[in-house]
Amino acid sequence: MLISLGKTGAARVPFLRLIWISLLLVTAAVAQDPTQVGQWTATSDWPFAAVHTHVLPTGKVLFWPAFDLGDNPTLWDPATGSFTPVPMAGWNIFCAGHAFLPNGQLLVAGGHVALNYGLPNAVIYDPVANTWIQQPNMNAGRWYPTNTTLANGDVLVVSGQITPTGGNDLLPQVYQTATGTWRDLTSANLYLPLYPMMFQAPNGKVFTAGPQQMSRYLDTTGTGAWSGVGNSNFGLRDYGAAVMYDVGKILLVGGANPPTATAEIIDLNTTPAHWQYTASMKSARRQANATILPDGRVLVTGGSSGAGFDNYSAPVHTAEVWDPATGHWNNWATAPNIYRGYHSTAVLLPDGRVLSAGGSKASGEIFSPPYLFAPSRPAITTAPTSVTFGQTFFVATPDGANISQVSWIRLPATTHAFNQNQRINFLTFTPTDGGLNVTAPADGNHAPPGHYMLFLVDQNKTPSVAAIIRLDSSIQSAPAAPTNLSAAAVSGGQVNLIWTNTANNQTGILIERSADGTNFNQIASTIGAATTYSDTGLAATTTYSYRVRAYNADARSNYSNVASATTTTGNPVSLTPTSLKFGAQIVPGPSQALAVTMTNQQSVDMNIASIAASAEFAQTNDCPTPLPAGQSCTISVTFAPQSTGPKVGTVTITDDAPNSPQTISLTGSGMLAVSFTPTSLPFGNQVLLTSSISKKVVVKNNQDRPLSTIVVSAAPGDFTQTNNCPTSLVPGGSCNVFVTFTPQATGSRIGALTVDDDAPGSVQTVPLTGFGVAPVVITPIAFSYGGVHVGTPSTPKDFLLTNKQTVPLTITSITASGDYSQTNTCGSSVAPGAQCTITVTFTPTAKGKRTGTVVINDSSVTSPHILTLQGSGT
């Protein structure tokens, strides 16, 4: 069709502009078509930032936040969007490592005391009983360790910082699932960076893919042994990401400072295994998350493209996906305008969506990949809850003829840009009547025991909703149901339960309650062979119904009979108030006392056995024993926090009243007498013997009295400080300290800013970190030419010189000695960040060993630089 635009340009311009605008609108619509690029939900508020995120065998998501809020585990239900607090672990589980055990329980190792100070604690979360089970301590504190589930179901724990002066924990340890004990790999002591990227490999060893350039295998048998595999191509990829996108096949992507877009792959099934580049991402990223999708593609979300540790000013909001079949990346939909960088997490949900949350924000959003906008998706009608290695099992589906892949992905456990539990297997299958016969992996080297999300993927790459299946070498049968459950109300707020156990393979009992006799909710669990439970805190004159069931690591029993009881008109012993809130209190306290009145409302005297307060709280009282009928007494409570952060405790009164024990809930938070903002100063890379831009630390006096005798210092010599702090700082007042980093040597440099004063807890410290970078880097620094015929020039060897300075590097001279000659592209000056090549040729003049050097004289502080050369004349 021809369109006449008239003869005048003036008439044509508006029409052409209209066409151009229309084309832009069409292009934008295509670019955001969810069938092509997927779709993000709007951001929703969360109670805490999800810094550690785990998909449980129940399909719910367990997460917890950072720093002093670390021990606030919370459950999020993807089906309803609701949040439920989880009992506390008992210590700060921020900056811990975590991996799932074969039975679906989560092993959490290490934790947070303060910045760069680790905890030696270990604990297991049981998602069935909703309880934490304390385990023996590790050899030392670990802050930023990595957990890896091994082929036999044990868990390897490596790295993690002990203290700033103690450095990283060099000793790998194995948690032995069968005995609940630790085994030390004493022959495998090795420095590894924090949160190394570790994978169970097909050869039975554990492979470390990054962030360091050198890749290694760790043999975890006996006392352990390391062996080298080879270097990745790019170099250090701190806060990059790595995933095992097929058995033994690993993708390493992004990271570094400034961030890189490059990506590399290695196939551990080949000999020798070596890293090779695949296509680069569309955007450079560090602090991003990589998530395996059901069809084997890898989704990368979030991160920063700007230089620096966590550059908020250069967020990457567009999702990218890598296809292992082509090695190419494609951009998908752009996320809401929330920066997901340091401390962000991303996990694949059983319904095929991807949760992105955390970072500096207590919020989250969900990404639906394009496959969720297909006209239809496969369905799993039934699937087993557990299978054994090599077992062929039946998955019922009406879509068996259209299935092109059956994959399963291990339940995610993500923190700090690395998913410590994520991996995928593509399972062999054959169609059969009503579904598929699917074969599980043959051994734990290919799929460590534990729970997996099983997906059926059709020919259009559309996955089903997952069935969560446990893989192990053996599976326990369901225990028998408890019997003879009875319920008896003993007061207006308490019902006592009694039942009979009939199983010998149970871990414990799950207790459920209903207020209407129909809708039951789990309220508690027991461990072991308990046969009684007291349900307290109930409403008076109310009928409650109960049922119980036994459970073990693999299954739950049928329910017992239902038993009901109606509470009486009121509590025989009352507390007013029933809870005390102390607010913020300077460490180590104590606070002013708060009082609770206890009244014996019985017609008989009450004998008091004990009144006890939990740690960091103390009580005194004037309560006699017995407390006469109708009389009251006073319990006075004080709060003495020993560390910062939220604190929870109780006062427990044990007596002979029917509603014993009575409890008073206690809350408060510890606050340092002197606080620092920020609490640490990372300086990043700095050229040797040059000074960084100063960074500021604000010192604040949180006391209600002056802070006196303030002395500020920084150590070691890599760090210097100036300040405007007076000798006496008024209550609530603050002053500024300015710290400069001047590295005296290359590599990691660690120091501390100290403030010595008359406040409790003095001397206070602010950890200082930086990395000294050589002004000139030459790669390699030495080379051996091997044997070369006398009088014959060798194959030339190139040496790469890089100017890491922010100023030009002046080259004074480059000279070769001995039987060696050189040419170069360096000229008289090398620009900041630029490189040049020095090409050296060996021409032996005699037989035998021949050594020589190339000496580079330049304007850097480390000049001269010497290349060490050797070869043999033959």
Side-chain angles (χ1 to χ4, degrees), residues 684-704:
N685 294 342
Q686 183 67 32
V687 172
L688 189 69
L689 300 180
T690 65
S691 297
S692 69
I693 298 173
S694 295
K695 292 191 175 185
K696 181 174 73 173
V697 175
V698 179
V699 182
K700 184 178 180 182
N701 177 18
N702 295 316
Q703 303 174 106
D704 57 3

Side-chain angles (χ1 to χ4, degrees), residues 34 92 102-103 136 163 294 329 378 397 404 425 434 529 533 539 552 590 648 668 739 758 789 854:
N92 196 330
N103 62 7
T163 63
W329 295 87
T397 174
S404 63
N425 295 88
Y533 177 76
N552 57 34
V648 177
V739 183
D758 64 347
H789 289 300
V854 171

Side-chain angles (χ1 to χ4, degrees), residues 50-53 98 144 146 194-197 199 210-211 237-243 251-256 285-291 299-304 309-310 340-346 357 359 413-420 422:
V51 177
H52 299 258
T53 305
H98 28 65
Y144 280 48
T146 292
L194 301 180
Y195 278 139
M197 304 168 187
F199 298 91
R237 289 183 181 269
D238 57 317
Y239 288 99
V243 297
L251 170 70
L252 182 61
V253 59
R285 303 175 193 247
R286 65 184 267 122
Q287 308 286 9
N289 284 278
T291 306
L299 177 73
V300 175
T301 53
S304 171
F309 177 74
D310 186 34
R340 301 290 180 202
Y342 182 52
H343 283 169
S344 68
T345 54
T414 303
T415 190
H416 289 75
F418 181 56
N419 191 323
Q420 300 182 14
Q422 178 179 231

